[in-house]
Amino acid sequence: QVQLVESGGGLVQPGGSLRLSCAFSGGTFTFYSMGWFRQAPGKGRERVATISGNAGSRYYADSVKGRFTISRDNAKNTVYLQMNGLKPEDTAVYYCAARRAVSSEYADWGQGTQVTVSS
């Protein structure tokens, strides 16, 4: 059974940076595309960034393009989200999710980590 554990959230001032990490276990990491999603209070879940199993394909939401970078270390079974130039509107709970290459659905989710951008 796949397990995902996020870390790295916290409070940061506008313009600051954070790096989120997501540790994957319970499966063959390279068989999975990985994604970061977020949900702000009172809003729906938003897909932020995704990366394919071999890191050959990446997606970014327009709202984070040029500021966030998704990466993965397949030797460490870990996916990262580097967030630079943070804005108050980036405040949300960030979730890591995994999707098997043969599936169209992100079926496995972490517990989430809070990111708060405020002065």
Side-chain angles (χ1 to χ4, degrees):
Q1 181 177 355
V2 169
Q3 290 189 319
L4 303 171
V5 179
E6 301 102 332
S7 60
L11 173 64
V12 63
Q13 292 187 341
S17 297
L18 282 175
R19 187 175 82 155
L20 305 183
S21 300
C22 173
F24 171 103
S25 62
T28 303
F29 189 50
T30 53
F31 288 179
Y32 290 79
S33 291
M34 301 297 296
W36 287 97
F37 295 75
R38 67 186 180 187
Q39 188 162 18
K43 295 189 176 182
R45 188 171 61 197
E46 177 187 14
R47 181 175 55 156
V48 175
T50 64
I51 187 167
S52 60
N54 64 0
S57 175
R58 305 179 199 213
Y59 160 88
Y60 295 97
D62 287 343
S63 57
V64 307
K65 276 181 185 175
R67 300 188 298 123
F68 290 11
T69 302
I70 189 170
S71 62
R72 63 191 294 158
D73 185 335
N74 286 345
K76 295 183 178 180
N77 285 7
T78 301
V79 62
Y80 304 97
L81 185 68
Q82 178 67 43
M83 306 186 292
N84 299 328
L86 283 161
K87 304 175 182 180
E89 51 263 44
D90 295 318
T91 296
V93 178
Y94 283 72
Y95 298 91
C96 172
R99 176 179 67 81
R100 281 210 59 141
V102 296
S103 172
S104 61
E105 178 182 341
Y106 282 86
D108 299 293
W109 293 80
Q111 81 287 354
T113 185
Q114 176 71 45
V115 172
T116 302
V117 184
S118 175
S119 54

